[in-house]
Amino acid sequence: QVQLVESGGGLVQAGGSLRLSCSASGRTLSSVNMGWFRQAPGKEREFVAAISWNIVTYYSDSVKGRFTISRDNVKNIMYLQMNSLKPEDTAIYFCAVVRQWPDRSGDNWGQGTQVTVSS
């Protein structure tokens, strides 16, 4: 089973940017679909963005035009470039394998990385 580690979160002002990373070990990322999900306190986990093995991308309406998902199969890392951040983007961000395209994940998660956007 692939092990996933998220990093790159932090505290940023509204309108700012962050770049999240998801590092994988134990298995190459190249042959699977991957996605980013987030969970705010007291809320259910929600889909953010996905990228397929053949580099097709899909975004939730709430982040479309602001976030960009990408992957580096040589380094076995997936990224989420987050621009024009809003306070409602505040959440713990997780990466996961996408089991059903585009927004259904498996149950294997990293520890998550906290993103906090101040107003």
Side-chain angles (χ1 to χ4, degrees):
Q1 188 178 35
V2 64
Q3 292 182 318
L4 303 170
V5 178
E6 301 92 341
S7 63
L11 176 64
V12 65
Q13 295 185 46
S17 298
L18 286 171
R19 185 176 177 86
L20 307 184
S21 298
C22 171
S23 298
S25 62
R27 182 186 178 184
T28 179
L29 286 175
S30 63
S31 64
V32 298
N33 303 328
M34 298 292 297
W36 286 96
F37 301 77
R38 66 188 183 186
Q39 187 169 22
K43 307 294 184 181
E44 294 184 354
R45 190 169 301 186
E46 67 172 346
F47 168 78
V48 177
I51 184 166
S52 72
W53 65 272
N54 55 336
I55 322 302
V56 175
T57 58
Y58 188 87
Y59 300 90
S60 70
D61 289 340
S62 63
V63 307
K64 188 179 298 183
R66 300 188 298 120
F67 292 8
T68 302
I69 189 170
S70 62
R71 63 197 303 171
D72 184 336
N73 288 337
V74 174
K75 297 181 178 180
N76 216 29
I77 299 174
M78 181 178 65
Y79 302 98
L80 185 68
Q81 179 66 47
M82 310 165 66
N83 298 327
S84 301
L85 283 163
K86 305 175 181 179
E88 49 263 48
D89 295 318
T90 295
I92 302 176
Y93 283 71
F94 301 89
C95 62
V97 174
V98 170
R99 298 300 184 188
Q100 183 176 10
W101 184 260
D103 59 354
R104 297 296 188 266
S105 72
D107 201 25
N108 182 33
W109 309 93
Q111 83 285 356
T113 186
Q114 176 70 50
V115 172
T116 302
V117 184
S118 62
S119 61

